[in-house]
Amino acid sequence: MRVLVTGGTGMVGSAFKKYEKDGIIRVGSKDFDLTNYSNCCEMIEDNKPDAIIHLAAKVGGVKGNTDLVGEFFRDNILMNTNVLESARVLGVEKVMSLLSTCIYPDKCQYPLTEEQIHLGPPHESNYGYAYAKRMIHVQSMAYRQQWGCNYIVAVPNNLYGEYDNFHMEHSHVVPAMIRKMHEAKISGLDHITLWGDGLPLREFTYSHDIADCLMMLLEDYNSPDPINIGNSNEISIKYLAEKIKEKIGFSGDIIWDTSMPSGQMRKPSSSGKFKEMYPDFEFTGLDDGIGIVCDWFEESYPNVRGV
Ligand code: NDP
């Protein structure tokens, strides 16, 4: 099967490099601007894929999602609509797109199970991104119903990996902490300050594991229903910070600024459906995954995205 990966230059897309020997094609925004329908058609006509793994998206942390809420909605809606429509028109057999556990309703039963995705408004901080992402599922279902398109959606939890965005304001928690501690170390600072009390629990999955999961699902999964994917071990933000501190070798103190918000206490996702399909799949442990990404960051700095 000839597989094309959109968003192939991003954090998750870069993890597909190891599959290039099997003929995987990765494309980024410099190759084709997917907010433009003609560019999407060109991408498919040039590469003639049997399947598309659609990762391209405008992605960011809380600040990006809030400050750029209109852009996040517009660009994601355009990219998704264009990719799915051009794939349909040009006869691509299968498209797998990514949602995110952060688009589940703000008020939800935990653990997050797939059938709850549309059962209430998302958190107000990311509604532009969340509604745009939810529409990929709606569009995929509608295309399956009317035109028989085998379009599927997977829902990863928090991801980290090489080639992430390390921008101070627009990054996610893992890259933000890695950069902050590395820069504190090289500047000889005796402490850094992080927001909140560090107590909330979150799940983190290494980008290479997600690439492996997506390759398996592309082969095996053919249902209109979303499927959660990711490491469902919960760890506290404080534990994460201590782990990154150890890997980076920052010897100063971490001050928790409890006047700033900590975020929701837990947002566990259900991995039952995935585990039923792949009971033996083992996710990379945080210790190993964070170690790899910290080493990569230190070797690459300052030539990393967002710095
Ligand atoms: P990145 O920000 O690292 O990568 C985004 C990718 O999208 C890049 O390759 C970028 O291309 C491409 N892209 C952006 N705009 C356009 C455009 N107009 N036309 C073509 N390509 C474009 O994101 P991630 O790798 O972190 O995310 C990948 C997917 O995983 C997304 O769909 C995201 O929603 C999902 N996801 C991510 C999570 C996370 O924690 N990061 C969590 C859950 C889901 P270029 O770099 O060349 O500009």
Side-chain angles (χ1 to χ4, degrees), residues 22-291:
D22 306 317
I24 285 263
I25 309 150
R26 297 183 299 130
V27 295
S29 67
K30 288 195 182 66
D31 303 306
F32 304 98
D33 176 4
L34 303 181
T35 61
N36 177 302
Y37 181 71
S38 315
N39 273 211
C40 280
C41 292
E42 217 177 293
M43 173 181 81
I44 294 171
E45 280 161 346
D46 286 2
N47 292 291
K48 304 191 171 31
D50 304 305
I52 295 177
I53 299 179
H54 173 42
L55 307 176
K58 211 165 185 118
V59 176
V62 175
K63 190 163 163 52
N65 268 293
T66 308
D67 293 354
L68 309 176
V69 59
E71 273 177 56
F72 273 50
F73 180 79
R74 179 196 63 201
D75 289 1
N76 285 315
I77 280 280
L78 285 172
M79 276 190 250
N80 302 333
T81 307
N82 289 340
V83 168
L84 266 57
E85 174 64 3
S86 54
R88 177 188 78 78
V89 169
L90 296 169
V92 178
E93 285 166 33
K94 193 162 187 178
V95 180
M96 174 164 54
S97 306
L98 288 201
L99 312 184
S100 164
T101 52
C102 73
I103 71 162
Y104 271 95
D106 186 28
K107 294 187 177 50
C108 214
Q109 301 276 334
Y110 294 106
L112 302 167
T113 45
E114 290 89 349
E115 72 281 1
Q116 297 186 78
I117 279 192
H118 300 286
L119 301 184
H123 192 269
E124 62 183 12
S125 63
N126 75 344
Y127 71 90
Y129 174 81
Y131 277 120
K133 279 280 175 188
R134 286 184 189 185
M135 286 310 114
I136 309 182
H137 179 226
V138 173
Q139 191 178 354
S140 297
M141 276 192 304
Y143 279 33
R144 178 182 290 271
Q145 186 179 324
Q146 183 172 349
W147 291 298
C149 301
N150 191 7
Y151 292 175
I152 60 173
V153 297
V155 194
N157 51 27
N158 301 297
L159 307 179
Y160 67 91
E162 300 95 323
Y163 302 95
D164 206 341
N165 181 4
F166 292 85
H167 191 278
M168 269 307 183
E169 290 185 339
H170 297 304
S171 56
H172 288 119
V173 59
V174 172
M177 281 187 189
I178 292 177
R179 177 174 176 183
K180 211 165 181 173
M181 295 208 208
H182 173 77
E183 291 183 345
K185 181 180 82 169
I186 58 177
S187 314
L189 299 184
D190 63 2
H191 74 277
I192 59 155
T193 304
L194 299 176
W195 279 21
D197 57 17
L199 298 180
L201 302 175
R202 293 291 183 271
E203 305 161 326
F204 294 97
T205 306
Y206 181 40
S207 57
H208 283 255
D209 293 343
I210 287 297
D212 297 342
C213 294
L214 295 178
M215 289 301 285
M216 296 186 310
L217 288 172
L218 188 67
E219 195 73 30
D220 302 329
Y221 195 71
N222 297 300
S223 162
D225 301 327
I227 180 164
N228 288 340
I229 47 172
N231 189 341
S232 49
N233 284 346
E234 290 179 288
I235 58 144
S236 71
I237 297 296
K238 201 170 245 177
Y239 180 84
L240 174 70
E242 290 299 334
K243 197 44 81 187
I244 292 174
K245 179 176 156 161
E246 174 198 322
K247 297 293 180 189
I248 292 285
F250 170 56
S251 55
D253 294 325
I254 298 173
I255 312 282
W256 292 96
D257 180 358
T258 50
S259 67
M260 299 308 280
S262 298
Q264 213 167 308
M265 193 52 210
R266 290 183 69 203
K267 289 165 49 170
S269 60
S270 163
S271 54
K273 205 162 147 176
F274 181 82
K275 279 191 178 143
E276 208 170 290
M277 286 181 75
Y278 307 107
D280 299 327
F281 186 84
E282 286 193 21
F283 286 95
T284 306
L286 190 83
D287 199 56
D288 291 338
I290 288 290

